[in-house]
Amino acid sequence: MRPQNTNPGSASVHCKKSSVLDTLRANFGIYTSDVTYASQCLIDAERDAQRCDDEIKRLEADIVVLRDQQQRIYCRIDQYRSLLAPIRKLPPEVLGRIFRLICFENSVAVKIDCPAIHLSHVCAGWRDLAQTTPSLWSRISIDLFQSLHDLSQVRSMLTTCLVLSKPSPLFLHLTIIGETKVADSVLRSVVHHCARWAKVRLDIDASHFDKLSPIKGNLPLLHSLEVRTIDDFGLFLALDSPGSLDFFSPAPQLRAVAIGKTYPTHVTMDTSTLPWGQISDLKLHFFDNFGHVNDLLLLAVQARSVTLSRCIMKDPPSNIPENFTHTLESLSFILHEDAPDPSQCFRVWTMPRLNHLHFLIRETDYLSDSYTFAELPWFIRRSGCTITTLSLVNLRLSEVEVIALFQCMTSLADLTLHEHRADKRNLSLTPSLLQKMTVDHRTTSSSRFLPHLKKVDFRIHFPFSTVDLVSMVHSRWIPDDIDAAEMGVDCLGVVKIQVLVRGDPPTDPPLRPLLAMKARGLQCMVSLDMLG
């Protein structure tokens, strides 16, 4: 009787192996006489091989089952790890704030983009949080000038946002030109929610303004209104402009108003009905009539901040008073390439409370050399104002012109001076200016240049005079209050410098000595901007 073996076929194969070899050796080339014995051995070996094959298949099937089981276990491991992920430890209110940073705007233009919907697709929890956070859906931009979407697509997106944004205030930007079913549907939908309007920008033509009549007297939350008929590139978007803005009065919370140029030029938009007595922030875009600008300033008696964006200030008409006085505190000019000279304003205006003055020319504009700021010092002296903040961005002024401006701004504390990217050398931030700004600790305090400067923001072309710039900052870094008072110079505590580099970057980081001062408390930021 054969002994039992857990490995089927192994014993019999082993027992017969030596006899088969002996027979093969003995009968090589001679007819095998014991055919029956050899046939039975063959059958037994094939049966043993089959049993091995069956066992291999069974074991392989067990391996597949074990691997599947392992994958399911790995899936549970991932789920348990997900449950312990740091993001799941965030309270819903914190996660909601992160969502609000991502969901800046829900828009219809060339594409329909609704970030809140994208968040809703992550998981059921995020979907519930997104759908119960109204502020994620409250910022809506619809540009039918670019959109080719049909009515159902636009209506679906808009309806979703309007429903899920309740009761949050609405922030709307509508660009609507031409008579279409989509335009009518959009206006009807948003007008129905006018009681929630908080900030509205309308780029729509006069034919659509009549559809806004239901909003009159129903704007309790509106605090910012912008009505424009021209885009940021100076292209007319509308065929006509509204004759009146009467629909937007009363609006008890309205504080900021921005008005674009009317078109055609012989049409003057009636803005007298706006609640001018409560407006503190006024922006005027693309006006080419100095008298019209003055008229609006006369109405905006409570305005504290005024921005004139790409307005062409021609010679003022004779009926404007020689000295026009206003009590605003901040004045900004975004200068137009065709007429970048604001001197006409400075010849007429007097602003005794002016503290903040900003000048900007867009980098895409081509500028001539025909503008000057020679009238500005006289305007400041005549007004008797105290300028504490000044921005000069892309102006291409020489260091002589810049120094002349600074000399009449002895109270200047915050200075922004940016060279134009298109230039290949520094026109304003020259060694002469930096040396002029450097404080000589041996001189008396009566001769200080910009003695109250506390913050600078420079954009400068590389290469530049690193030694002069570092020396200027070092000379104004006076953290001891007693020393600063004795010297008559405030401590320069914040320095931001953007270095414009063409070609290969510098091998050694520029302004390393300034960065080293961060350990002593100087708030210093230096960045490289590689130009093509």
Side-chain angles (χ1 to χ4, degrees):
M1 181 173 151
R2 295 181 179 180
Q4 296 293 325
N5 196 306
T6 58
N7 189 0
S10 60
S12 59
V13 170
H14 177 74
C15 293
K16 298 173 183 177
K17 181 178 180 181
S18 59
S19 60
V20 172
L21 291 175
D22 292 342
T23 304
L24 288 173
R25 292 190 187 101
N27 297 318
F28 179 75
I30 303 174
Y31 177 72
T32 300
S33 59
D34 194 352
V35 175
T36 303
Y37 175 72
S39 297
Q40 186 60 46
C41 288
L42 176 60
I43 292 172
D44 293 343
E46 289 177 341
R47 185 184 300 114
D48 291 342
Q50 183 62 44
R51 281 196 297 268
C52 290
D53 187 61
D54 293 341
E55 183 66 13
I56 289 173
K57 290 180 179 179
R58 186 185 67 79
L59 294 175
E60 286 178 342
D62 290 344
I63 291 174
V64 171
V65 172
L66 288 173
R67 283 175 176 168
D68 289 343
Q69 184 179 357
Q70 184 188 48
Q71 292 302 314
R72 290 193 294 272
I73 294 173
Y74 280 145
C75 182
R76 288 199 296 273
I77 290 174
D78 292 340
Q79 292 171 347
Y80 294 142
R81 286 176 175 170
S82 178
L83 288 174
L84 298 175
I87 195 170
R88 292 185 180 272
K89 299 177 183 179
L90 293 177
E93 56 272 17
V94 175
L95 189 58
R97 294 195 65 178
I98 296 174
F99 282 5
R100 284 191 287 273
L101 295 176
I102 298 172
C103 302
F104 179 74
E105 187 177 69
N106 305 290
S107 63
V108 175
V110 177
K111 298 188 297 183
I112 295 180
D113 185 21
C114 195
I117 291 179
H118 301 325
L119 291 175
S120 301
H121 291 167
V122 174
C123 64
W126 282 28
R127 179 167 56 255
D128 292 340
L129 180 59
Q131 293 181 353
T132 55
T133 307
S135 59
L136 302 184
W137 310 87
S138 63
R139 297 181 180 273
I140 304 171
S141 174
I142 297 180
D143 186 350
L144 297 185
F145 183 69
Q146 299 187 54
S147 173
L148 298 177
H149 303 287
D150 59 35
L151 176 59
S152 62
Q153 293 173 304
V154 177
R155 180 184 291 171
S156 174
M157 178 270 186
L158 180 58
T159 301
T160 299
C161 290
L162 291 176
V163 171
L164 294 179
S165 65
K166 290 182 180 179
S168 181
L170 291 176
F171 300 81
L172 298 174
H173 180 189
L174 303 179
T175 302
I176 300 177
I177 299 173
E179 299 289 341
T180 65
K181 291 182 180 180
V182 179
D184 292 342
S185 176
V186 168
L187 284 173
R188 282 196 302 270
S189 297
V190 297
V191 165
H192 183 70
H193 294 264
C194 63
R196 294 197 287 132
W197 289 8
K199 183 176 182 180
V200 177
R201 173 175 170 178
L202 300 175
D203 296 323
I204 64 179
D205 56 33
S207 62
H208 291 297
F209 260 84
D210 292 340
K211 300 165 188 174
L212 300 179
S213 57
I215 73 174
K216 184 172 177 59
N218 193 22
L219 298 169
L221 302 181
L222 184 65
H223 63 79
S224 177
L225 171 65
E226 185 168 2
V227 179
R228 300 175 67 178
T229 58
I230 198 167
D231 70 4
D232 291 335
F233 297 97
L235 302 175
F236 289 107
L237 293 178
L239 299 177
D240 203 351
S241 298
S244 173
L245 297 180
D246 181 62
F247 297 149
F248 298 96
S249 182
Q253 302 298 324
L254 187 60
R255 297 293 182 272
V257 170
I259 304 174
K261 175 183 176 180
T262 59
Y263 183 79
T265 55
H266 63 272
V267 175
T268 300
M269 185 190 305
D270 182 10
T271 58
S272 61
T273 56
L274 288 175
W276 289 106
Q278 64 192 45
I279 294 173
S280 58
D281 187 339
L282 176 63
K283 294 182 176 65
L284 303 178
H285 304 277
F286 293 95
F287 277 73
D288 59 3
N289 188 315
F290 188 86
H292 197 181
V293 170
N294 253 51
D295 291 341
L296 294 179
L297 289 179
L298 282 170
L299 293 172
V301 292
Q302 296 300 322
R304 293 297 171 260
S305 175
V306 172
T307 299
L308 303 179
S309 175
R310 307 189 75 195
C311 296
I312 301 176
M313 294 302 186
K314 301 176 182 177
D315 291 336
S318 57
N319 60 344
I320 292 181
E322 183 176 351
N323 287 323
F324 172 80
T325 303
H326 201 286
T327 57
L328 64 86
E329 299 170 359
S330 176
L331 179 61
S332 301
F333 289 89
I334 302 176
L335 302 176
H336 195 287
E337 59 181 335
D338 293 335
D341 190 353
S343 59
Q344 300 295 345
C345 304
F346 300 134
R347 292 172 186 166
V348 174
W349 290 346
T350 300
M351 297 177 176
R353 296 187 182 180
L354 188 64
N355 297 127
H356 310 284
L357 193 54
H358 308 277
F359 297 94
L360 165 68
I361 293 177
R362 302 194 322 169
E363 293 178 356
T364 55
D365 284 351
Y366 174 79
L367 298 178
S368 64
D369 297 328
S370 60
Y371 66 96
T372 176
F373 284 79
E375 296 287 341
L376 182 55
W378 168 240
F379 159 77
I380 293 174
R381 295 188 185 97
R382 183 179 69 249
S383 298
C385 56
T386 301
I387 303 297
T388 58
T389 303
L390 176 66
S391 296
L392 305 173
V393 179
N394 298 329
L395 295 192
R396 289 173 166 161
L397 298 176
S398 69
E399 76 263 21
V400 175
E401 294 173 296
V402 172
I403 291 173
L405 292 181
F406 291 170
Q407 286 175 335
C408 66
M409 300 180 185
T410 56
S411 299
L412 190 62
D414 187 342
L415 171 63
T416 298
L417 182 55
H418 286 187
E419 298 283 358
H420 200 291
R421 291 176 184 271
D423 293 329
K424 297 183 179 180
R425 63 185 183 90
N426 296 303
L427 302 180
S428 301
L429 288 167
T430 62
S432 298
L433 176 61
L434 296 174
Q435 292 167 11
K436 181 72 174 178
M437 294 177 64
T438 301
V439 175
D440 185 351
H441 292 208
R442 298 181 178 180
T443 61
T444 60
S445 59
S446 60
S447 59
R448 301 301 183 202
F449 183 72
L450 299 180
H452 300 292
L453 195 60
K454 299 178 180 179
K455 178 180 178 181
V456 295
D457 181 347
F458 290 163
R459 187 169 72 189
I460 189 168
H461 286 280
F462 185 84
F464 58 90
S465 179
T466 305
V467 173
D468 288 327
L469 181 52
V470 171
S471 297
M472 185 275 291
V473 175
H474 282 173
S475 72
R476 290 179 173 271
W477 169 244
I478 313 173
D480 187 277
D481 293 339
I482 297 177
D483 290 344
E486 290 180 354
M487 295 180 58
V489 180
D490 290 338
C491 178
L492 180 63
V494 180
V495 177
K496 181 179 179 182
I497 301 175
Q498 181 182 11
V499 182
L500 302 176
V501 180
R502 295 182 183 277
D504 297 331
T507 55
D508 188 53
L511 304 175
R512 187 192 296 271
L514 296 186
L515 295 175
M517 295 175 63
K518 294 173 67 174
R520 300 294 302 275
L522 176 67
Q523 297 183 42
C524 182
M525 294 156 283
V526 178
S527 62
L528 293 182
D529 190 349
M530 304 302 298
L531 303 179

